[in-house]
Amino acid sequence: MDKIVIEGGERLVGDVEISGAKNAALPLLAASILAEGTTVFENVPTLEDIRTTRKLLSNLGATVEADEKKHSVSVDASKLISHEAPYELVKTMRASSLVLGPLLARLGKARVSLPGGCAIGARPINLHLMALEKMGAEIKIEHGYVEAKAKKLRGAKIYFDIVTVTGTENIMMAASLAEGTTVLENAACEPEVVDTANLLNRMGAKIRGAGTDVITIEGVSSLKPVSYRVMPDRIETGTFMIASALTRGNIKIKDCIEEHSMALIIKLREAGVEIKVEGDGIRVIGHRRIKSVDVKTLPYPGFATDMQAQMMVLMTLGDGLSVISETVFENRFMHVSELQRMGADIRVDGHSALVKGVPYLSGAPVMATDLRASASLILAGLAAEGTTEVSRVYHLDRGYERIEEKLSRLGAKIKRVGT
Ligand code: UD1
């Protein structure tokens, strides 16, 4: 299994291009099965989760072609032969449940393995199922699978108790081909939801309000295939911002959208990081020791839970005490014990972590536990004195395209080694 080995202490300087967003590409690819014909995507990141989704769509009977170098994927969903997302695929990628809504809308039936828990929490899909039932679907859980059927989905008024990103996307996709109007209250406002709504509208759907907490979807009888460019990845953007801040670097982050990283930008400025918006990107300059700031994760436009682990690394080197509260997932502090091995002073108390800044971190062998935790360990390694070896990097490969190559071009001493 591959490891990433980092010699810390290098200042990162230069330009970096951001890839397409994983969390947008996944619902966009799922939406392609709503159209009878070939949908073409550009700016698709080259990631394990995208390969898993391609496999999932091929299993359903779609003809999927990809050019990883050109970052393009085409999906011809004219003929679907299966309505099943099997356990083998869902267990490696929970977002496979994004095909539930589209399959039900297109074929009137879906059989999707239940995702189960993961390192960061229980991650149920009960809200997706509740909403589909309101839309007239009959749902049973059998042998670990959700079995759903509906001759024709009907528009409904739906309220989500908890803001759910993939839940909002699943229901938007299902409602696009339902009979009548669906109103989704307390919907997720994430930019990836807006990207999905933009694709669906381009395909002929009638969705209003995406990006606010009330989304209205007027069902249409069919959707047509189109070409679509995936939005930039705001989590990769944020990860490079923190890399610059941590190494007292000067990085220009290109092909990103400033507005999508606003909560992070405000917090980083509060911590003393200089951030300038330039014509084609955002420049991030780390000048001095970081000021400790408090952070609380929330649904968008709040501080992204997917940036919590990376922000914690920055705070381990702060000049005081920082309280980091995780309100989205119940168990998202798996990186703490690994950071402690590198000398960080962190105490977890329920949903909060108290991070007392230390003057330096020291390199150590560490183990990635989930996708964003693995990014945080890479960041810690860049800032630490000596050598850090991050193992279980398959987590990293699910969501970051060639991160070691991008960091190495900025001056980091980082390499991947096979074991
Ligand atoms: C998406 C992102 C993930 C991000 C998360 C929160 C994708 C592919 N993944 O995950 O990177 O960390 O949003 O921003 O876009 N919940 C329920 N019942 C449900 C659905 C969710 O209780 O039916 C709970 C979850 O357990 C969690 C919270 O709601 O505590 C938010 O989860 P959700 O927004 O659904 O996360 P995902 O869409 O899985």
Side-chain angles (χ1 to χ4, degrees), residues 202-224:
R202 186 89 73 77
M203 292 164 90
K206 293 190 174 157
I207 303 175
R208 279 179 288 122
T212 75
D213 58 4
V214 182
I215 302 179
T216 307
I217 309 121
E218 217 181 292
V220 296
S221 57
S222 67
L223 294 172
K224 60 176 191 302

PDB file of all heavy atoms in Angstrom, residues 202-224:
ATOM      1  N   ARG A 202     -30.343  23.046 -17.091  1.00  0.00           N
ATOM      2  CA  ARG A 202     -29.828  23.012 -18.461  1.00  0.00           C
ATOM      3  C   ARG A 202     -30.449  21.825 -19.213  1.00  0.00           C
ATOM      4  O   ARG A 202     -30.694  21.877 -20.406  1.00  0.00           O
ATOM      5  CB  ARG A 202     -28.301  22.897 -18.384  1.00  0.00           C
ATOM      6  CG  ARG A 202     -27.521  22.987 -19.656  1.00  0.00           C
ATOM      7  CD  ARG A 202     -27.138  24.398 -20.039  1.00  0.00           C
ATOM      8  NE  ARG A 202     -26.083  24.958 -19.213  1.00  0.00           N
ATOM      9  CZ  ARG A 202     -24.783  24.653 -19.345  1.00  0.00           C
ATOM     10  NH1 ARG A 202     -24.379  23.780 -20.254  1.00  0.00           N
ATOM     11  NH2 ARG A 202     -23.887  25.231 -18.585  1.00  0.00           N
ATOM     12  N   MET A 203     -30.712  20.733 -18.493  1.00  0.00           N
ATOM     13  CA  MET A 203     -31.313  19.540 -19.128  1.00  0.00           C
ATOM     14  C   MET A 203     -32.822  19.705 -19.363  1.00  0.00           C
ATOM     15  O   MET A 203     -33.455  18.820 -19.916  1.00  0.00           O
ATOM     16  CB  MET A 203     -31.078  18.306 -18.224  1.00  0.00           C
ATOM     17  CG  MET A 203     -29.628  17.866 -18.127  1.00  0.00           C
ATOM     18  SD  MET A 203     -29.363  16.745 -16.703  1.00  0.00           S
ATOM     19  CE  MET A 203     -29.649  15.174 -17.416  1.00  0.00           C
ATOM     20  N   GLY A 204     -33.371  20.802 -18.855  1.00  0.00           N
ATOM     21  CA  GLY A 204     -34.797  21.056 -19.065  1.00  0.00           C
ATOM     22  C   GLY A 204     -35.643  21.005 -17.802  1.00  0.00           C
ATOM     23  O   GLY A 204     -36.871  21.135 -17.860  1.00  0.00           O
ATOM     24  N   ALA A 205     -35.018  20.821 -16.653  1.00  0.00           N
ATOM     25  CA  ALA A 205     -35.785  20.793 -15.396  1.00  0.00           C
ATOM     26  C   ALA A 205     -36.222  22.214 -15.026  1.00  0.00           C
ATOM     27  O   ALA A 205     -35.710  23.193 -15.583  1.00  0.00           O
ATOM     28  CB  ALA A 205     -34.916  20.206 -14.284  1.00  0.00           C
ATOM     29  N   LYS A 206     -37.170  22.286 -14.069  1.00  0.00           N
ATOM     30  CA  LYS A 206     -37.641  23.609 -13.635  1.00  0.00           C
ATOM     31  C   LYS A 206     -37.424  23.724 -12.137  1.00  0.00           C
ATOM     32  O   LYS A 206     -38.304  23.393 -11.332  1.00  0.00           O
ATOM     33  CB  LYS A 206     -39.114  23.774 -13.995  1.00  0.00           C
ATOM     34  CG  LYS A 206     -39.333  23.836 -15.488  1.00  0.00           C
ATOM     35  CD  LYS A 206     -40.729  24.242 -15.825  1.00  0.00           C
ATOM     36  CE  LYS A 206     -40.854  24.444 -17.323  1.00  0.00           C
ATOM     37  NZ  LYS A 206     -42.244  24.305 -17.770  1.00  0.00           N
ATOM     38  N   ILE A 207     -36.214  24.161 -11.774  1.00  0.00           N
ATOM     39  CA  ILE A 207     -35.837  24.259 -10.357  1.00  0.00           C
ATOM     40  C   ILE A 207     -35.581  25.726 -10.027  1.00  0.00           C
ATOM     41  O   ILE A 207     -34.814  26.397 -10.719  1.00  0.00           O
ATOM     42  CB  ILE A 207     -34.561  23.439 -10.075  1.00  0.00           C
ATOM     43  CG1 ILE A 207     -34.768  21.980 -10.489  1.00  0.00           C
ATOM     44  CG2 ILE A 207     -34.142  23.551  -8.612  1.00  0.00           C
ATOM     45  CD1 ILE A 207     -33.540  21.097 -10.360  1.00  0.00           C
ATOM     46  N   ARG A 208     -36.220  26.194  -8.947  1.00  0.00           N
ATOM     47  CA  ARG A 208     -35.970  27.566  -8.482  1.00  0.00           C
ATOM     48  C   ARG A 208     -35.516  27.516  -7.033  1.00  0.00           C
ATOM     49  O   ARG A 208     -35.950  26.654  -6.267  1.00  0.00           O
ATOM     50  CB  ARG A 208     -37.262  28.400  -8.547  1.00  0.00           C
ATOM     51  CG  ARG A 208     -37.563  28.930  -9.938  1.00  0.00           C
ATOM     52  CD  ARG A 208     -38.839  29.717  -9.952  1.00  0.00           C
ATOM     53  NE  ARG A 208     -40.011  28.853  -9.807  1.00  0.00           N
ATOM     54  CZ  ARG A 208     -40.917  28.954  -8.844  1.00  0.00           C
ATOM     55  NH1 ARG A 208     -40.815  29.883  -7.912  1.00  0.00           N
ATOM     56  NH2 ARG A 208     -41.937  28.118  -8.794  1.00  0.00           N
ATOM     57  N   GLY A 209     -34.666  28.456  -6.657  1.00  0.00           N
ATOM     58  CA  GLY A 209     -34.305  28.612  -5.245  1.00  0.00           C
ATOM     59  C   GLY A 209     -33.086  27.836  -4.796  1.00  0.00           C
ATOM     60  O   GLY A 209     -32.724  27.898  -3.618  1.00  0.00           O
ATOM     61  N   ALA A 210     -32.412  27.115  -5.709  1.00  0.00           N
ATOM     62  CA  ALA A 210     -31.207  26.378  -5.277  1.00  0.00           C
ATOM     63  C   ALA A 210     -30.170  27.392  -4.794  1.00  0.00           C
ATOM     64  O   ALA A 210     -29.955  28.422  -5.435  1.00  0.00           O
ATOM     65  CB  ALA A 210     -30.645  25.554  -6.432  1.00  0.00           C
ATOM     66  N   GLY A 211     -29.569  27.106  -3.634  1.00  0.00           N
ATOM     67  CA  GLY A 211     -28.654  28.069  -3.017  1.00  0.00           C
ATOM     68  C   GLY A 211     -29.340  28.800  -1.860  1.00  0.00           C
ATOM     69  O   GLY A 211     -28.700  29.485  -1.088  1.00  0.00           O
ATOM     70  N   THR A 212     -30.681  28.620  -1.741  1.00  0.00           N
ATOM     71  CA  THR A 212     -31.414  29.118  -0.574  1.00  0.00           C
ATOM     72  C   THR A 212     -31.973  27.890   0.155  1.00  0.00           C
ATOM     73  O   THR A 212     -31.837  26.766  -0.337  1.00  0.00           O
ATOM     74  CB  THR A 212     -32.591  30.040  -0.967  1.00  0.00           C
ATOM     75  OG1 THR A 212     -33.649  29.218  -1.486  1.00  0.00           O
ATOM     76  CG2 THR A 212     -32.178  31.057  -2.022  1.00  0.00           C
ATOM     77  N   ASP A 213     -32.643  28.119   1.298  1.00  0.00           N
ATOM     78  CA  ASP A 213     -33.120  26.936   2.022  1.00  0.00           C
ATOM     79  C   ASP A 213     -34.521  26.486   1.612  1.00  0.00           C
ATOM     80  O   ASP A 213     -35.059  25.547   2.194  1.00  0.00           O
ATOM     81  CB  ASP A 213     -32.993  27.123   3.546  1.00  0.00           C
ATOM     82  CG  ASP A 213     -33.758  28.321   4.040  1.00  0.00           C
ATOM     83  OD1 ASP A 213     -34.450  28.960   3.212  1.00  0.00           O
ATOM     84  OD2 ASP A 213     -33.690  28.618   5.241  1.00  0.00           O
ATOM     85  N   VAL A 214     -35.101  27.134   0.590  1.00  0.00           N
ATOM     86  CA  VAL A 214     -36.360  26.621   0.030  1.00  0.00           C
ATOM     87  C   VAL A 214     -36.173  26.430  -1.484  1.00  0.00           C
ATOM     88  O   VAL A 214     -35.902  27.392  -2.205  1.00  0.00           O
ATOM     89  CB  VAL A 214     -37.544  27.588   0.287  1.00  0.00           C
ATOM     90  CG1 VAL A 214     -38.834  26.995  -0.265  1.00  0.00           C
ATOM     91  CG2 VAL A 214     -37.687  27.890   1.774  1.00  0.00           C
ATOM     92  N   ILE A 215     -36.304  25.193  -1.911  1.00  0.00           N
ATOM     93  CA  ILE A 215     -36.124  24.890  -3.341  1.00  0.00           C
ATOM     94  C   ILE A 215     -37.454  24.374  -3.901  1.00  0.00           C
ATOM     95  O   ILE A 215     -38.090  23.501  -3.299  1.00  0.00           O
ATOM     96  CB  ILE A 215     -35.006  23.836  -3.549  1.00  0.00           C
ATOM     97  CG1 ILE A 215     -33.690  24.332  -2.942  1.00  0.00           C
ATOM     98  CG2 ILE A 215     -34.820  23.515  -5.025  1.00  0.00           C
ATOM     99  CD1 ILE A 215     -32.510  23.360  -3.077  1.00  0.00           C
ATOM    100  N   THR A 216     -37.862  24.932  -5.022  1.00  0.00           N
ATOM    101  CA  THR A 216     -39.114  24.507  -5.655  1.00  0.00           C
ATOM    102  C   THR A 216     -38.792  23.837  -6.983  1.00  0.00           C
ATOM    103  O   THR A 216     -38.054  24.392  -7.799  1.00  0.00           O
ATOM    104  CB  THR A 216     -40.019  25.739  -5.897  1.00  0.00           C
ATOM    105  OG1 THR A 216     -40.145  26.426  -4.659  1.00  0.00           O
ATOM    106  CG2 THR A 216     -41.398  25.341  -6.395  1.00  0.00           C
ATOM    107  N   ILE A 217     -39.346  22.637  -7.154  1.00  0.00           N
ATOM    108  CA  ILE A 217     -39.061  21.867  -8.366  1.00  0.00           C
ATOM    109  C   ILE A 217     -40.389  21.514  -9.029  1.00  0.00           C
ATOM    110  O   ILE A 217     -41.208  20.797  -8.452  1.00  0.00           O
ATOM    111  CB  ILE A 217     -38.296  20.557  -8.040  1.00  0.00           C
ATOM    112  CG1 ILE A 217     -37.075  20.860  -7.174  1.00  0.00           C
ATOM    113  CG2 ILE A 217     -37.891  19.811  -9.310  1.00  0.00           C
ATOM    114  CD1 ILE A 217     -37.046  20.179  -5.847  1.00  0.00           C
ATOM    115  N   GLU A 218     -40.560  22.003 -10.221  1.00  0.00           N
ATOM    116  CA  GLU A 218     -41.772  21.674 -10.981  1.00  0.00           C
ATOM    117  C   GLU A 218     -41.403  20.503 -11.884  1.00  0.00           C
ATOM    118  O   GLU A 218     -40.467  20.628 -12.684  1.00  0.00           O
ATOM    119  CB  GLU A 218     -42.111  22.893 -11.830  1.00  0.00           C
ATOM    120  CG  GLU A 218     -43.577  23.201 -11.987  1.00  0.00           C
ATOM    121  CD  GLU A 218     -43.709  24.419 -12.885  1.00  0.00           C
ATOM    122  OE1 GLU A 218     -43.307  25.512 -12.436  1.00  0.00           O
ATOM    123  OE2 GLU A 218     -44.166  24.228 -14.023  1.00  0.00           O
ATOM    124  N   GLY A 219     -42.087  19.384 -11.736  1.00  0.00           N
ATOM    125  CA  GLY A 219     -41.711  18.204 -12.523  1.00  0.00           C
ATOM    126  C   GLY A 219     -41.927  18.410 -14.015  1.00  0.00           C
ATOM    127  O   GLY A 219     -42.836  19.136 -14.426  1.00  0.00           O
ATOM    128  N   VAL A 220     -41.076  17.789 -14.829  1.00  0.00           N
ATOM    129  CA  VAL A 220     -41.251  17.818 -16.289  1.00  0.00           C
ATOM    130  C   VAL A 220     -41.292  16.365 -16.775  1.00  0.00           C
ATOM    131  O   VAL A 220     -40.961  15.449 -16.016  1.00  0.00           O
ATOM    132  CB  VAL A 220     -40.090  18.585 -16.980  1.00  0.00           C
ATOM    133  CG1 VAL A 220     -40.064  20.048 -16.583  1.00  0.00           C
ATOM    134  CG2 VAL A 220     -38.730  17.930 -16.700  1.00  0.00           C
ATOM    135  N   SER A 221     -41.704  16.157 -18.049  1.00  0.00           N
ATOM    136  CA  SER A 221     -41.888  14.764 -18.466  1.00  0.00           C
ATOM    137  C   SER A 221     -40.593  14.101 -18.920  1.00  0.00           C
ATOM    138  O   SER A 221     -40.452  12.877 -18.852  1.00  0.00           O
ATOM    139  CB  SER A 221     -42.942  14.685 -19.573  1.00  0.00           C
ATOM    140  OG  SER A 221     -42.526  15.508 -20.616  1.00  0.00           O
ATOM    141  N   SER A 222     -39.618  14.882 -19.387  1.00  0.00           N
ATOM    142  CA  SER A 222     -38.341  14.259 -19.762  1.00  0.00           C
ATOM    143  C   SER A 222     -37.221  15.286 -19.684  1.00  0.00           C
ATOM    144  O   SER A 222     -37.471  16.483 -19.649  1.00  0.00           O
ATOM    145  CB  SER A 222     -38.432  13.684 -21.177  1.00  0.00           C
ATOM    146  OG  SER A 222     -38.554  14.752 -22.086  1.00  0.00           O
ATOM    147  N   LEU A 223     -35.988  14.782 -19.626  1.00  0.00           N
ATOM    148  CA  LEU A 223     -34.820  15.662 -19.576  1.00  0.00           C
ATOM    149  C   LEU A 223     -33.907  15.303 -20.738  1.00  0.00           C
ATOM    150  O   LEU A 223     -33.819  14.137 -21.132  1.00  0.00           O
ATOM    151  CB  LEU A 223     -34.086  15.494 -18.247  1.00  0.00           C
ATOM    152  CG  LEU A 223     -34.859  15.965 -17.004  1.00  0.00           C
ATOM    153  CD1 LEU A 223     -34.116  15.570 -15.727  1.00  0.00           C
ATOM    154  CD2 LEU A 223     -35.094  17.471 -17.015  1.00  0.00           C
ATOM    155  N   LYS A 224     -33.213  16.312 -21.256  1.00  0.00           N
ATOM    156  CA  LYS A 224     -32.360  16.029 -22.424  1.00  0.00           C
ATOM    157  C   LYS A 224     -30.874  16.073 -22.030  1.00  0.00           C
ATOM    158  O   LYS A 224     -30.495  16.789 -21.106  1.00  0.00           O
ATOM    159  CB  LYS A 224     -32.651  17.029 -23.546  1.00  0.00           C
ATOM    160  CG  LYS A 224     -32.411  18.481 -23.159  1.00  0.00           C
ATOM    161  CD  LYS A 224     -32.630  19.391 -24.353  1.00  0.00           C
ATOM    162  CE  LYS A 224     -32.159  20.821 -24.096  1.00  0.00           C
ATOM    163  NZ  LYS A 224     -32.735  21.525 -22.981  1.00  0.00           N
TER     164      LYS A 224
END
